[in-house]
Amino acid sequence: MANYKAIAEEICTILGKTYTERVGLHEPHFAGNELKYVSDCVETGWVSSVGSYVDRISEDLSKFCKSPYAIPVANGTVALQIALEELGVESDDEVLIPSLTFVATANAVLYLKAIPHFVDSDVESLGVNCGKLAEYLENIAEIRGNECWNTKTKRRIKAIVPVHVFGHPVDMDPLLEIAKRFHLGVVEDAAEAIGSEYKGKPAGTIAPLGTLSFNGNKVITTGGGGAILAADKAQGEHIKHVANTAKIQHAWEFRHTEKGYNFRMPNLNAALGCAQLEILPKALEMKRKLQAAYCDWFSNFEDGEIFTEASYAKSNYWLNAMILKEESFELRDAILDSTNAKQIGTRPLWVLMHRLDFLSKYPKMNLSTAESLEKRIVNLPSSWFLVDKFGL
Ligand SMILES: *Cc1c(COP(=O)(O)O)cnc(C)c1O
């Protein structure tokens, strides 16, 4: 491991043999009825907040994710906001979220004037480290009635948001047990995890509430969009109501029952999504092939390995990740520099939430694993159509 530059060059060679043009980290791919369905919206004039594709994407998602309720919304961030609000998160409540996540998870908490409280991750799932979390809560939390209170900050800890990072499912059984023991509501942030499974169950449906994103960089896209998955009828219907300005269905009267949001997914976006959902099974198959190819290409690489799903999980492999060994962390920037210089779109992990200036004041546990992972992860190009380009 003496010569970092040489090793970075070797990685470029491994990737470069397959990449002949610029490749992004994750690009959308339209291979089905996208144009047909979107044109249909324009031709019929149904482009906005109501239309047949909005109803259809809701049904199709519900079927695909085996979730009784699937409510399409404007994006994955507001999906989280509305799900947390449904759980009863109020201003000044603490919400446990991993520091290792995309900033949207923290923003959704802030929109409710609640307090993000950062928890550590583990190396097997890249998600919440349940062992460490249980020990931490035993030290700082006190149960009063059926509420959990932080004895240090004197605030209520209301909920936890496990994030399925890069599509890899969190170990949900121990997490749900902790949630039950400490009376915490749970929203799964499955923004990156459509099609992933935990012990055979679709990600986003293991807890009573889960959220998805259909942003352009996710496995499938609606341009911008998201959804809430709900198991419970009352919750599902209430979320749909609130996301749709809390208007009572009526032939001509406009009556609203409470503070509602305009978080609807427009029909135009839903049309794109319906077509993308049709090809999702194929996309998932291709993504697994790509991950297997990465494992193969890097099988002799001594300084790190390609992340592979845990035994309980089936991952959608949204983003492939090279995890460098602890002693090889200095390689990260050399790899990022040389690959990007060759038009290979690699990138590091997000800067951890607790290290962002505007979030640094919020409570956190010891975050040693997340901090170690931050130094050692390089995401590799993961668009599913690369499988065709590589002739895999
Ligand atoms: C993409 C993403 C979101 C937010 O989704 P948007 O549709 O971009 O608002 C939330 N959480 C995670 C982990 C994400 O990756």
Side-chain angles (χ1 to χ4, degrees):
M1 244 294 303
N3 189 342
Y4 297 134
K5 266 227 135 70
I7 295 162
E9 280 302 314
E10 186 191 318
I11 288 175
C12 277
T13 316
I14 290 172
L15 295 173
K17 74 176 177 211
T18 45
Y19 297 131
T20 49
E21 56 201 90
R22 196 196 138 65
V23 260
L25 184 70
H26 203 291
E27 294 167 298
H29 189 49
F30 305 115
N33 289 316
E34 289 87 353
L35 207 51
K36 185 172 158 206
Y37 295 170
V38 171
S39 301
D40 182 40
C41 295
V42 175
E43 278 161 12
T44 59
W46 291 96
V47 294
S48 194
S49 49
V50 287
S52 60
Y53 291 106
V54 177
D55 297 331
R56 181 166 152 192
I57 198 171
S58 172
E59 283 163 29
D60 291 355
L61 272 174
S62 170
K63 223 176 273 162
F64 184 85
C65 297
K66 302 191 181 82
S67 172
Y69 295 84
I71 303 105
V73 289
N75 57 62
T77 314
V78 299
L80 277 171
Q81 178 188 344
I82 216 164
L84 286 169
E85 193 164 7
E86 182 67 29
L87 280 184
V89 171
E90 293 175 359
S91 69
D92 229 31
D93 279 342
E94 293 184 5
V95 177
L96 302 168
I97 68 170
S99 184
L100 196 174
T101 185
F102 176 58
V103 71
T105 319
N107 281 336
V109 174
L110 295 179
Y111 298 160
L112 298 172
K113 299 191 164 42
I115 312 284
H117 185 155
F118 302 114
V119 304
D120 204 11
S121 304
D122 72 40
V123 289
E124 283 81 36
S125 69
L126 307 182
V128 173
N129 187 326
C130 291
K132 215 165 154 178
L133 176 64
E135 206 174 295
Y136 177 64
L137 288 176
E138 277 156 22
N139 278 322
I140 65 146
E142 181 182 273
I143 306 298
R144 292 188 215 148
N146 54 10
E147 290 184 340
C148 181
W149 286 79
N150 184 334
T151 55
K152 301 244 158 69
T153 62
K154 316 277 184 236
R155 284 186 293 243
R156 183 169 70 158
I157 308 177
K158 182 68 185 172
I160 180 163
V161 183
V163 180
H164 304 304
V165 173
F166 306 150
H168 310 309
V170 172
D171 195 359
M172 288 298 291
D173 282 347
L175 187 129
L176 291 174
E177 207 176 288
I178 292 169
K180 193 170 167 201
R181 195 167 133 213
F182 290 94
H183 302 276
L184 305 172
V186 185
V187 175
E188 280 175 79
D189 184 348
E192 304 170 359
I194 192 167
S196 299
E197 292 175 6
Y198 176 73
K199 299 185 178 173
K201 269 191 174 174
T205 68
I206 297 121
L209 289 173
T211 62
L212 301 172
S213 166
F214 307 114
N215 194 42
N217 62 341
K218 299 289 170 24
V219 175
I220 55 167
T221 185
T222 58
I228 300 105
L229 303 175
D232 177 73
K233 183 170 196 281
Q235 274 189 333
E237 283 176 356
H238 185 245
I239 288 171
K240 184 176 176 190
H241 182 64
V242 173
N244 286 276
T245 70
K247 180 183 176 294
I248 292 176
Q249 299 260 0
H250 189 278
W252 41 261
E253 188 183 48
F254 276 73
R255 184 183 294 275
H256 307 265
T257 59
E258 62 182 294
K259 178 192 75 180
Y261 295 104
N262 178 8
F263 283 170
R264 294 171 288 210
M265 177 188 284
N267 202 46
L268 203 51
N269 301 76
L272 195 63
C274 287
Q276 289 264 280
L277 267 172
E278 289 172 353
I279 57 174
L280 177 56
K282 167 95 177 157
L284 292 169
E285 201 182 300
M286 305 278 258
K287 289 187 76 66
R288 292 188 74 78
K289 263 194 188 162
L290 185 61
Q291 192 269 348
Y294 272 125
C295 286
D296 190 33
W297 293 331
F298 286 101
S299 57
N300 293 322
F301 183 63
E302 285 174 358
D303 293 286
E305 56 185 21
I306 301 297
F307 185 91
T308 298
E309 65 202 1
S311 56
Y312 54 73
K314 184 169 180 194
S315 178
N316 68 2
Y317 288 111
W318 172 52
L319 286 189
N320 284 291
M322 154 79 68
I323 316 243
L324 296 166
K325 288 186 178 155
E326 305 238 3
E327 64 272 21
S328 305
F329 77 91
E330 285 175 73
L331 255 181
R332 188 194 78 165
D333 290 3
I335 294 173
L336 291 167
D337 280 340
S338 36
T339 45
N340 279 287
K342 293 202 165 142
Q343 308 295 305
I344 298 168
T346 59
R347 48 146 250 201
L349 194 61
W350 310 281
V351 172
L352 296 176
M353 295 303 104
H354 72 284
R355 300 206 305 108
L356 297 175
D357 282 342
F358 80 107
L359 295 175
S360 61
K361 62 175 182 256
Y362 293 111
K364 56 179 180 287
M365 65 190 272
N366 171 291
L367 296 165
S368 55
T369 306
E371 281 170 352
S372 163
L373 286 168
E374 182 187 32
K375 292 191 195 122
R376 300 191 284 129
I377 289 184
V378 178
N379 286 122
L380 303 168
S382 299
S383 308
W384 58 272
F385 58 85
L386 289 176
V387 167
D388 280 340
K389 287 213 166 146
F390 294 169
L392 294 172

